């Protein structure tokens, strides 16, 4: 039932039916509150507040869109990978991202939104995805920096989501996180090899780290005092840590790993604060973040255009799948009729 019809439907209910509906809502809310307080899981058929459903739908669909748009900066480099081994690894990684999109679209569908609608919103430019994928991948070293920093930030963000209160989301995240670990290692290894190569290769690795560092830090979202929805998401056990907490943790991990690479982070304010026991970093350009989110980043138009093209190119596959499904269904109903006769 479409939400906008709810009022007209309730207007047709008798007072007794309305009372029964209100009772069901009250019982549903009480059960929901209990499940959240017990740190247990809400499943698709359970009653849930409309705002919880809406928040999850927005978050999971945005996450799914990020996975498939995120294939683009790296897919551009598959044909230019420096060896067969690198090509095979990068291809596997990009395919994994398509898979992540599929797990997440499936999880979002359990909340009552069709995948077609989500895809339509994405290609119409109405849906958001992670701002990071609107930056260009200029050199081969960017494959290393993306894997190390972008997939690294994704892991930091997503490991706590494995415990998200919505069952299908948490379970999808468990599988996603296992694959993200491989993604980060392959990125680290690309950078390590370049950093131990010629001075030009090492410089190329450093340039890539310099370009991706700040956008990767901004992947965690705006600072806590400018993130109005975070508190509610944490109260619902969707988010477990605030944007800044995750960002600080990430900076700490990167500050240690960059030493092994023999490279540096382009931020001389990164340090561990002994008093607060937290990692700190220099200021970030939040205006740039807002510009990119508003569709004015370096590659927004190009990414959406490519997605539209891919959607159009895939029309015959969707038609063929629908024709096959219709055929199978006709065959099935024929067999059922014969069995009944
Ligand atoms: Fe992914
Ligand atoms: Fe990944």
């Amino acid at each position: 039932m479409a939400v906008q019809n709810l009022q007209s439907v309730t207007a047709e209910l008798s007072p007794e039916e309305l009372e029964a509906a209100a009772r069901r809502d009250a019982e549903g809310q009480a059960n929901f509150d209990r499940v959240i307080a017990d740190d247990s899981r809400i499943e698709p058929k359970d009653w849930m507040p409309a705002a919880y459903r809406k928040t999850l739908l927005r978050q999971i669909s945005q996450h799914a869109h990020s996975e498939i748009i995120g294939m683009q900066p790296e897919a551009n480099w598959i044909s230019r990978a420096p060896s067969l081994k690198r090509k095979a690894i990068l291809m596997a990684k990009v395919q994994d991202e398509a898979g992540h999109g599929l797990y997440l679209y499936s999880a979002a569908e359990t909340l009552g939104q069709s995948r077609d609608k989500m895809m339509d919103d994405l290609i119409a430019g109405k849906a958001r995805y992670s701002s990071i994928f609107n930056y260009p991948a200029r050199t081969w070293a960017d494959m290393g920096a993306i894997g190390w920093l972008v997939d690294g930030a994704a892991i930091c963000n997503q490991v706590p989501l494995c415990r998200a209160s919505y069952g299908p989301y948490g379970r999808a995240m468990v599988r996603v996180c296992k694959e993200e670990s491989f993604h980060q290692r392959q990125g680290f290894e690309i950078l390590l090899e370049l950093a131990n190569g010629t001075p030009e290769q090492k410089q190329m690795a450093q340039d890539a780290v310099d370009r991706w560092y700040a956008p990767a830090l901004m992947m965690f979202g705006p600072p806590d005092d400018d993130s109005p929805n975070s508190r509610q998401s944490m109260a619902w056990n969707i988010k477990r840590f605030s944007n800044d907490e995750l960002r600080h943790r990430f900076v700490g991990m990167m500050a240690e790993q960059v030493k092994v690479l023999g490279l540096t982070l382009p931020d001389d304010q990164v340090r561990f604060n002994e008093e607060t026991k937290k990692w700190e970093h220099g200021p970030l350009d939040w205006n740039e973040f807002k510009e990119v989110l508003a569709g004015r980043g370096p590659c927004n138009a190009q990414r959406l255009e490519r997605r539209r093209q891919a959607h159009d190119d895939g029309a015959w596959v969707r038609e063929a799948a629908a024709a096959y499904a219709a055929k199978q269904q006709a065959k099935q109903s024929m067999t059922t009729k014969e069995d009944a006769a």
Side-chain angles (χ1 to χ4, degrees), residues 74-154:
E74 293 175 289
N76 283 339
W77 279 92
I78 291 176
S79 61
R80 291 176 285 168
S83 68
L84 182 61
K85 181 184 123 186
R86 292 290 181 202
K87 196 188 290 277
I89 294 172
L90 187 59
M91 202 144 56
K93 192 218 176 215
V94 173
Q95 279 180 338
D96 281 354
E97 305 301 4
H100 297 174
L102 297 184
Y103 308 152
L104 289 160
Y105 282 125
S106 297
E109 278 185 312
T110 65
L111 292 159
Q113 180 85 278
S114 75
R115 190 178 304 194
D116 286 347
K117 169 81 171 80
M118 289 184 262
M119 193 52 69
D120 287 348
D121 285 350
L122 174 63
I123 57 183
K126 289 190 215 157
R128 278 186 174 174
Y129 55 86
S130 179
S131 59
I132 192 86
F133 301 117
N134 292 311
Y135 290 87
R138 297 196 190 285
T139 69
W140 170 251
D142 287 39
M143 297 305 97
I146 291 176
W148 181 51
L149 288 168
V150 177
D151 292 88

Coordinates of all heavy atoms in Angstrom, one line a residue, residues 74-154:
E74 N 37.8 3.0 -11.1 CA 38.7 1.9 -11.3 C 38.5 1.1 -12.5 O 39.5 0.7 -13.1 CB 38.6 1.0 -10.0 CG 39.0 1.7 -8.8 CD 38.8 0.9 -7.6 OE1 37.6 0.7 -7.2 OE2 39.8 0.4 -7.0
A75 N 37.3 1.0 -13.0 CA 37.1 0.3 -14.3 C 37.8 1.0 -15.4 O 38.3 0.3 -16.3 CB 35.6 0.2 -14.6
N76 N 38.0 2.3 -15.3 CA 38.7 3.0 -16.3 C 40.2 2.5 -16.4 O 40.8 2.8 -17.5 CB 38.8 4.5 -15.9 CG 37.5 5.2 -16.3 OD1 36.7 4.7 -17.1 ND2 37.2 6.3 -15.6
W77 N 40.7 1.9 -15.4 CA 42.1 1.5 -15.4 C 42.3 0.0 -15.7 O 43.4 -0.4 -15.8 CB 42.7 1.9 -14.1 CG 43.1 3.3 -14.1 CD1 42.4 4.4 -13.7 CD2 44.3 3.9 -14.6 NE1 43.1 5.6 -13.9 CE2 44.3 5.3 -14.5 CE3 45.5 3.3 -15.2 CZ2 45.3 6.1 -14.9 CZ3 46.5 4.2 -15.7 CH2 46.4 5.6 -15.5
I78 N 41.2 -0.7 -15.9 CA 41.4 -2.2 -16.1 C 42.2 -2.4 -17.4 O 43.2 -3.2 -17.4 CB 40.0 -2.9 -16.1 CG1 39.4 -2.9 -14.8 CG2 40.2 -4.4 -16.7 CD1 38.0 -3.5 -14.7
S79 N 41.9 -1.7 -18.4 CA 42.6 -1.9 -19.7 C 44.0 -1.4 -19.7 O 44.8 -1.7 -20.5 CB 41.8 -1.4 -20.8 OG 41.7 0.0 -20.6
R80 N 44.3 -0.5 -18.7 CA 45.6 0.1 -18.6 C 46.5 -0.4 -17.5 O 47.5 0.1 -17.2 CB 45.5 1.6 -18.5 CG 44.9 2.2 -19.8 CD 44.7 3.7 -19.6 NE 43.5 4.0 -18.8 CZ 43.2 5.1 -18.3 NH1 44.0 6.2 -18.5 NH2 42.1 5.3 -17.6
A81 N 46.0 -1.5 -16.8 CA 46.8 -2.0 -15.7 C 48.2 -2.5 -16.2 O 48.3 -3.0 -17.3 CB 46.0 -3.2 -15.1
P82 N 49.2 -2.3 -15.4 CA 50.6 -2.6 -15.9 C 50.9 -4.0 -16.1 O 52.0 -4.3 -16.7 CB 51.5 -1.9 -14.8 CG 50.6 -1.9 -13.6 CD 49.2 -1.7 -14.0
S83 N 50.2 -5.0 -15.6 CA 50.5 -6.4 -15.9 C 49.2 -7.2 -15.8 O 48.2 -6.7 -15.4 CB 51.5 -6.9 -14.8 OG 50.8 -7.0 -13.6
L84 N 49.3 -8.4 -16.3 CA 48.1 -9.3 -16.4 C 47.6 -9.6 -14.9 O 46.5 -9.6 -14.7 CB 48.5 -10.7 -17.0 CG 47.4 -11.7 -17.2 CD1 46.2 -11.1 -18.0 CD2 47.9 -13.0 -17.8
K85 N 48.6 -9.8 -14.0 CA 48.3 -10.0 -12.6 C 47.5 -8.8 -12.0 O 46.4 -9.0 -11.4 CB 49.5 -10.2 -11.8 CG 49.3 -10.5 -10.3 CD 50.6 -10.6 -9.6 CE 50.6 -9.6 -8.4 NZ 51.9 -9.5 -7.7
R86 N 48.0 -7.6 -12.3 CA 47.3 -6.4 -11.8 C 45.9 -6.3 -12.4 O 44.9 -5.9 -11.8 CB 48.1 -5.2 -12.1 CG 49.4 -5.1 -11.3 CD 49.1 -4.8 -9.8 NE 50.3 -4.7 -9.1 CZ 50.4 -4.9 -7.8 NH1 49.4 -5.3 -7.1 NH2 51.6 -4.8 -7.2
K87 N 45.8 -6.6 -13.7 CA 44.5 -6.5 -14.4 C 43.5 -7.5 -13.8 O 42.4 -7.1 -13.5 CB 44.8 -6.9 -15.9 CG 43.6 -6.5 -16.8 CD 43.8 -7.0 -18.2 CE 45.0 -6.4 -19.0 NZ 44.6 -5.1 -19.6
A88 N 44.0 -8.7 -13.5 CA 43.0 -9.8 -13.0 C 42.6 -9.3 -11.6 O 41.4 -9.5 -11.2 CB 43.8 -11.1 -12.9
I89 N 43.5 -8.8 -10.8 CA 43.1 -8.4 -9.4 C 42.1 -7.2 -9.5 O 41.1 -7.2 -8.8 CB 44.4 -8.0 -8.6 CG1 45.3 -9.2 -8.4 CG2 44.0 -7.3 -7.3 CD1 46.7 -8.8 -7.8
L90 N 42.4 -6.2 -10.3 CA 41.6 -5.1 -10.4 C 40.2 -5.4 -10.9 O 39.1 -4.9 -10.4 CB 42.2 -4.0 -11.3 CG 41.5 -2.6 -11.3 CD1 41.4 -2.0 -9.9 CD2 42.2 -1.6 -12.2
M91 N 40.2 -6.3 -11.9 CA 38.9 -6.8 -12.4 C 38.0 -7.5 -11.3 O 36.8 -7.2 -11.2 CB 39.1 -7.7 -13.6 CG 37.9 -7.8 -14.5 SD 38.5 -8.0 -16.2 CE 39.5 -9.4 -16.2
A92 N 38.7 -8.3 -10.5 CA 38.0 -9.0 -9.4 C 37.4 -8.0 -8.4 O 36.3 -8.1 -7.9 CB 38.9 -10.0 -8.7
K93 N 38.2 -6.9 -8.2 CA 37.8 -5.9 -7.2 C 36.6 -5.2 -7.7 O 35.6 -5.0 -7.0 CB 39.0 -5.0 -6.9 CG 38.7 -4.1 -5.7 CD 39.2 -2.7 -5.9 CE 38.7 -1.9 -4.7 NZ 38.4 -0.6 -4.9
V94 N 36.6 -4.8 -9.0 CA 35.5 -4.0 -9.5 C 34.2 -4.9 -9.6 O 33.1 -4.4 -9.3 CB 35.9 -3.5 -10.9 CG1 34.7 -2.8 -11.6 CG2 37.0 -2.4 -10.8
Q95 N 34.4 -6.2 -9.9 CA 33.3 -7.1 -9.8 C 32.7 -7.2 -8.4 O 31.5 -7.3 -8.2 CB 33.7 -8.5 -10.3 CG 33.7 -8.6 -11.8 CD 34.1 -9.9 -12.3 OE1 34.8 -10.7 -11.6 NE2 33.8 -10.2 -13.6
D96 N 33.6 -7.3 -7.4 CA 33.1 -7.3 -6.0 C 32.2 -6.1 -5.7 O 31.2 -6.3 -5.0 CB 34.3 -7.2 -5.1 CG 35.1 -8.5 -4.9 OD1 34.6 -9.5 -5.4 OD2 36.1 -8.5 -4.2
E97 N 32.6 -4.9 -6.2 CA 31.8 -3.7 -5.9 C 30.4 -3.9 -6.5 O 29.4 -3.4 -5.9 CB 32.5 -2.5 -6.5 CG 33.9 -2.2 -6.0 CD 34.1 -2.1 -4.5 OE1 33.1 -2.3 -3.7 OE2 35.3 -1.9 -4.0
A98 N 30.3 -4.5 -7.7 CA 29.0 -4.7 -8.3 C 28.2 -5.6 -7.4 O 27.0 -5.4 -7.2 CB 29.1 -5.4 -9.7
G99 N 28.9 -6.7 -6.9 CA 28.2 -7.6 -6.0 C 27.7 -6.9 -4.7 O 26.6 -7.1 -4.2
H100 N 28.5 -5.9 -4.2 CA 28.1 -5.2 -3.0 C 26.9 -4.4 -3.3 O 26.0 -4.3 -2.5 CB 29.2 -4.2 -2.5 CG 30.5 -4.9 -2.1 ND1 31.6 -4.2 -1.8 CD2 30.8 -6.2 -2.0 CE1 32.6 -5.1 -1.5 NE2 32.1 -6.3 -1.6
G101 N 26.8 -3.8 -4.5 CA 25.6 -3.1 -4.9 C 24.4 -4.0 -4.9 O 23.4 -3.6 -4.3
L102 N 24.6 -5.2 -5.4 CA 23.4 -6.1 -5.4 C 23.0 -6.6 -4.0 O 21.8 -6.6 -3.8 CB 23.8 -7.4 -6.3 CG 24.1 -7.0 -7.8 CD1 24.3 -8.3 -8.6 CD2 23.0 -6.2 -8.4
Y103 N 23.9 -6.9 -3.1 CA 23.5 -7.3 -1.8 C 22.7 -6.1 -1.2 O 21.7 -6.3 -0.5 CB 24.6 -7.5 -0.8 CG 25.8 -8.4 -1.2 CD1 27.0 -8.2 -0.6 CD2 25.6 -9.5 -2.0 CE1 28.1 -9.0 -1.0 CE2 26.6 -10.3 -2.3 CZ 27.9 -10.1 -1.8 OH 29.0 -10.9 -2.1
L104 N 23.2 -4.9 -1.4 CA 22.5 -3.7 -0.8 C 21.2 -3.4 -1.4 O 20.3 -3.0 -0.7 CB 23.5 -2.6 -0.7 CG 24.7 -2.8 0.2 CD1 25.9 -1.9 -0.1 CD2 24.2 -2.5 1.7
Y105 N 21.1 -3.5 -2.7 CA 19.8 -3.2 -3.3 C 18.8 -4.3 -2.8 O 17.6 -3.9 -2.6 CB 19.9 -3.3 -4.9 CG 20.5 -2.1 -5.5 CD1 21.6 -2.1 -6.4 CD2 19.9 -0.8 -5.3 CE1 22.1 -1.0 -6.9 CE2 20.5 0.3 -5.8 CZ 21.6 0.2 -6.7 OH 22.1 1.3 -7.2
S106 N 19.2 -5.5 -2.6 CA 18.3 -6.5 -2.1 C 17.9 -6.2 -0.7 O 16.7 -6.3 -0.4 CB 19.0 -7.9 -2.1 OG 19.3 -8.3 -3.4
A107 N 18.8 -5.7 0.1 CA 18.5 -5.4 1.5 C 17.5 -4.2 1.5 O 16.5 -4.2 2.2 CB 19.7 -5.0 2.3
A108 N 17.7 -3.2 0.6 CA 16.8 -2.1 0.5 C 15.4 -2.5 0.1 O 14.4 -1.9 0.5 CB 17.4 -1.0 -0.4
E109 N 15.4 -3.5 -0.8 CA 14.1 -3.9 -1.3 C 13.2 -4.5 -0.2 O 12.0 -4.4 -0.3 CB 14.3 -5.0 -2.4 CG 14.6 -4.3 -3.8 CD 14.7 -5.4 -4.9 OE1 15.4 -6.4 -4.7 OE2 14.0 -5.2 -6.0
T110 N 13.8 -5.1 0.8 CA 13.0 -5.6 1.9 C 12.3 -4.5 2.7 O 11.4 -4.8 3.5 CB 13.9 -6.4 2.9 OG1 14.8 -5.5 3.5 CG2 14.6 -7.6 2.2
L111 N 12.6 -3.3 2.4 CA 11.9 -2.2 3.1 C 10.8 -1.6 2.3 O 10.1 -0.7 2.6 CB 12.9 -1.0 3.4 CG 14.0 -1.4 4.4 CD1 15.2 -0.5 4.3 CD2 13.4 -1.4 5.8
G112 N 10.5 -2.3 1.1 CA 9.3 -1.9 0.3 C 9.6 -1.0 -0.9 O 8.6 -0.4 -1.4
Q113 N 10.8 -0.8 -1.3 CA 11.1 0.0 -2.5 C 11.6 -0.9 -3.6 O 12.5 -1.8 -3.3 CB 12.2 1.0 -2.1 CG 12.6 1.9 -3.2 CD 11.7 3.2 -3.3 OE1 10.6 3.1 -3.9 NE2 12.1 4.3 -2.7
S114 N 11.2 -0.7 -4.8 CA 11.6 -1.6 -5.9 C 13.0 -1.2 -6.3 O 13.4 0.0 -6.3 CB 10.7 -1.6 -7.0 OG 10.8 -0.4 -7.8
R115 N 13.8 -2.1 -6.8 CA 15.1 -1.8 -7.4 C 15.0 -0.8 -8.6 O 15.8 0.1 -8.7 CB 15.8 -3.1 -7.8 CG 17.3 -2.8 -8.1 CD 18.0 -4.1 -8.4 NE 17.9 -5.1 -7.3 CZ 18.6 -6.2 -7.3 NH1 19.5 -6.4 -8.2 NH2 18.5 -7.1 -6.3
D116 N 13.9 -1.1 -9.4 CA 13.7 -0.2 -10.5 C 13.6 1.3 -10.1 O 14.2 2.2 -10.7 CB 12.5 -0.6 -11.3 CG 12.7 -1.9 -12.1 OD1 13.9 -2.3 -12.2 OD2 11.7 -2.5 -12.6
K117 N 12.8 1.5 -9.0 CA 12.6 2.9 -8.6 C 13.9 3.5 -8.1 O 14.3 4.6 -8.4 CB 11.6 2.8 -7.5 CG 11.4 4.1 -6.7 CD 10.5 5.1 -7.4 CE 10.2 6.3 -6.6 NZ 11.2 7.4 -6.6
M118 N 14.7 2.7 -7.4 CA 16.0 3.2 -6.8 C 16.9 3.5 -8.0 O 17.6 4.6 -8.0 CB 16.7 2.1 -5.9 CG 16.0 2.0 -4.6 SD 16.8 0.8 -3.5 CE 15.9 -0.7 -3.8
M119 N 16.9 2.7 -9.0 CA 17.8 2.9 -10.2 C 17.3 4.2 -10.9 O 18.1 5.0 -11.4 CB 17.8 1.7 -11.1 CG 18.9 1.7 -12.1 SD 20.5 2.0 -11.5 CE 20.8 0.5 -10.5
D120 N 16.0 4.3 -11.1 CA 15.5 5.5 -11.8 C 15.9 6.7 -11.0 O 16.2 7.7 -11.7 CB 13.9 5.4 -11.8 CG 13.4 4.4 -12.8 OD1 14.3 3.9 -13.6 OD2 12.2 4.0 -12.8
D121 N 15.8 6.7 -9.7 CA 16.2 7.9 -8.9 C 17.7 8.2 -9.1 O 18.0 9.4 -9.2 CB 15.9 7.7 -7.4 CG 14.4 7.8 -7.1 OD1 13.6 8.2 -8.0 OD2 14.0 7.4 -6.0
L122 N 18.5 7.2 -9.2 CA 19.9 7.4 -9.4 C 20.2 8.1 -10.7 O 20.8 9.1 -10.8 CB 20.7 6.1 -9.2 CG 22.2 6.2 -9.5 CD1 22.9 7.1 -8.5 CD2 22.8 4.8 -9.5
I123 N 19.6 7.5 -11.8 CA 20.0 8.0 -13.1 C 19.3 9.3 -13.4 O 19.7 10.1 -14.3 CB 19.8 7.0 -14.3 CG1 18.4 6.4 -14.3 CG2 20.8 5.9 -14.2 CD1 18.3 5.4 -15.4
A124 N 18.2 9.6 -12.6 CA 17.6 10.9 -12.8 C 18.3 12.0 -12.0 O 18.0 13.2 -12.0 CB 16.1 10.8 -12.4
G125 N 19.3 11.6 -11.3 CA 20.1 12.6 -10.5 C 19.4 12.9 -9.2 O 19.8 13.9 -8.5
K126 N 18.4 12.2 -8.8 CA 17.7 12.5 -7.5 C 18.3 11.8 -6.3 O 17.9 12.2 -5.2 CB 16.2 12.0 -7.7 CG 15.4 12.8 -8.6 CD 13.9 12.4 -8.5 CE 13.2 12.4 -9.8 NZ 12.0 11.5 -9.8
A127 N 19.1 10.8 -6.5 CA 19.6 10.1 -5.3 C 21.1 10.4 -5.1 O 21.8 10.8 -6.1 CB 19.5 8.6 -5.6
R128 N 21.5 10.3 -3.9 CA 22.9 10.6 -3.6 C 23.7 9.3 -3.6 O 23.2 8.3 -3.3 CB 23.0 11.3 -2.2 CG 22.7 12.8 -2.3 CD 23.0 13.4 -1.0 NE 22.8 14.8 -1.0 CZ 22.9 15.6 0.0 NH1 23.1 15.1 1.2 NH2 22.8 16.9 -0.1
Y129 N 25.0 9.5 -3.7 CA 26.0 8.5 -3.5 C 27.2 9.1 -2.9 O 27.3 10.4 -2.9 CB 26.3 7.7 -4.8 CG 26.7 8.5 -5.9 CD1 28.1 8.9 -6.1 CD2 25.8 9.0 -6.9 CE1 28.5 9.7 -7.1 CE2 26.2 9.9 -7.9 CZ 27.6 10.2 -8.0 OH 28.0 11.0 -9.1
S130 N 28.2 8.3 -2.5 CA 29.3 8.9 -1.8 C 30.1 9.9 -2.6 O 30.4 9.7 -3.8 CB 30.3 7.7 -1.4 OG 31.4 8.3 -0.7
S131 N 30.4 11.0 -2.0 CA 31.1 12.1 -2.8 C 32.4 11.7 -3.3 O 32.9 12.3 -4.4 CB 31.2 13.3 -1.8 OG 32.0 13.0 -0.7
I132 N 33.1 10.7 -2.7 CA 34.4 10.4 -3.1 C 34.5 9.9 -4.6 O 35.5 10.1 -5.3 CB 35.0 9.2 -2.2 CG1 36.5 9.0 -2.4 CG2 34.2 7.9 -2.5 CD1 37.3 9.9 -1.6
F133 N 33.4 9.4 -5.1 CA 33.5 8.8 -6.5 C 33.3 9.8 -7.6 O 33.3 9.5 -8.7 CB 32.5 7.6 -6.6 CG 32.8 6.5 -5.6 CD1 31.9 6.2 -4.6 CD2 34.1 5.9 -5.6 CE1 32.2 5.2 -3.7 CE2 34.4 4.9 -4.7 CZ 33.4 4.6 -3.7
N134 N 33.3 11.1 -7.2 CA 33.2 12.2 -8.1 C 34.6 12.8 -8.4 O 34.7 13.9 -8.9 CB 32.2 13.2 -7.7 CG 30.8 12.7 -7.7 OD1 30.4 12.1 -8.7 ND2 30.1 12.8 -6.6
Y135 N 35.6 12.1 -7.9 CA 37.0 12.6 -8.1 C 37.6 11.7 -9.2 O 37.3 10.5 -9.2 CB 37.8 12.5 -6.8 CG 37.4 13.6 -5.8 CD1 36.4 13.3 -4.9 CD2 38.0 14.8 -5.8 CE1 35.9 14.3 -4.0 CE2 37.6 15.8 -4.8 CZ 36.6 15.5 -4.0 OH 36.2 16.5 -3.1
P136 N 38.5 12.3 -10.0 CA 39.1 11.5 -11.1 C 40.2 10.6 -10.6 O 40.9 11.0 -9.7 CB 39.6 12.6 -12.1 CG 39.9 13.8 -11.2 CD 38.9 13.7 -10.1
A137 N 40.4 9.5 -11.3 CA 41.6 8.6 -11.0 C 42.6 8.9 -12.1 O 42.5 8.4 -13.2 CB 41.2 7.1 -11.0
R138 N 43.6 9.7 -11.8 CA 44.5 10.2 -12.8 C 45.6 9.3 -13.3 O 46.0 9.3 -14.4 CB 45.1 11.5 -12.4 CG 44.1 12.6 -12.1 CD 44.8 14.0 -12.1 NE 43.8 15.0 -11.6 CZ 42.8 15.5 -12.3 NH1 42.7 15.1 -13.6 NH2 42.0 16.4 -11.8
T139 N 46.2 8.5 -12.3 CA 47.3 7.7 -12.7 C 47.1 6.3 -12.1 O 46.2 6.0 -11.3 CB 48.7 8.2 -12.0 OG1 48.6 8.0 -10.6 CG2 48.9 9.7 -12.4
W140 N 48.0 5.3 -12.5 CA 47.9 4.0 -11.9 C 48.0 4.0 -10.4 O 47.3 3.2 -9.7 CB 48.9 3.1 -12.6 CG 49.0 1.7 -11.9 CD1 50.0 1.3 -11.1 CD2 48.0 0.7 -11.9 NE1 49.6 0.0 -10.6 CE2 48.4 -0.3 -11.0 CE3 46.7 0.6 -12.5 CZ2 47.7 -1.5 -10.8 CZ3 46.0 -0.5 -12.3 CH2 46.4 -1.6 -11.5
A141 N 48.8 4.9 -9.9 CA 49.0 5.0 -8.4 C 47.6 5.3 -7.7 O 47.4 4.9 -6.5 CB 50.0 6.0 -8.0
D142 N 46.7 5.9 -8.4 CA 45.4 6.2 -7.8 C 44.7 4.9 -7.5 O 43.8 4.8 -6.6 CB 44.5 7.0 -8.8 CG 45.0 8.5 -8.8 OD1 46.2 8.7 -8.9 OD2 44.1 9.4 -8.9
M143 N 45.0 3.8 -8.2 CA 44.3 2.5 -7.9 C 44.8 2.0 -6.5 O 44.1 1.4 -5.7 CB 44.7 1.4 -8.9 CG 44.2 1.7 -10.3 SD 42.4 2.0 -10.4 CE 42.3 3.7 -10.4
G144 N 46.1 2.4 -6.2 CA 46.6 2.0 -4.9 C 46.0 2.9 -3.8 O 45.6 2.4 -2.8
A145 N 45.9 4.2 -4.1 CA 45.4 5.2 -3.1 C 43.9 4.9 -2.9 O 43.4 5.0 -1.7 CB 45.6 6.6 -3.6
I146 N 43.2 4.6 -3.9 CA 41.8 4.3 -3.7 C 41.6 3.0 -2.8 O 40.8 3.0 -1.9 CB 41.0 4.1 -5.1 CG1 41.0 5.5 -5.8 CG2 39.6 3.6 -4.9 CD1 40.4 5.4 -7.2
G147 N 42.3 2.0 -3.2 CA 42.2 0.8 -2.4 C 42.6 1.0 -0.9 O 41.9 0.6 0.0
W148 N 43.7 1.7 -0.8 CA 44.2 1.9 0.6 C 43.4 2.8 1.4 O 42.9 2.5 2.5 CB 45.7 2.4 0.6 CG 46.3 2.6 1.9 CD1 46.3 1.7 2.9 CD2 47.0 3.7 2.4 NE1 47.0 2.2 4.0 CE2 47.4 3.5 3.7 CE3 47.3 5.0 1.8 CZ2 48.1 4.4 4.5 CZ3 48.0 5.9 2.6 CH2 48.4 5.6 3.9
L149 N 43.1 4.0 0.8 CA 42.4 5.0 1.6 C 40.9 4.9 1.5 O 40.2 5.0 2.5 CB 42.8 6.4 1.1 CG 44.2 6.9 1.4 CD1 44.6 8.1 0.6 CD2 44.3 7.2 2.9
V150 N 40.3 4.8 0.3 CA 38.9 4.8 0.1 C 38.3 3.5 0.6 O 37.3 3.5 1.4 CB 38.5 5.0 -1.4 CG1 37.0 5.0 -1.6 CG2 39.1 6.4 -1.9
D151 N 38.8 2.3 0.2 CA 38.3 1.1 0.8 C 38.6 1.0 2.3 O 37.9 0.4 3.0 CB 38.9 -0.1 0.0 CG 38.3 -0.2 -1.4 OD1 38.9 0.4 -2.3 OD2 37.2 -0.8 -1.6
G152 N 39.8 1.6 2.7 CA 40.1 1.6 4.1 C 39.1 2.4 4.9 O 38.6 1.9 5.9
A153 N 38.7 3.5 4.4 CA 37.6 4.3 5.1 C 36.3 3.6 5.0 O 35.6 3.6 6.0 CB 37.5 5.7 4.4
A154 N 36.0 2.9 3.9 CA 34.8 2.1 3.8 C 34.8 1.0 4.9 O 33.8 0.8 5.6 CB 34.7 1.5 2.5

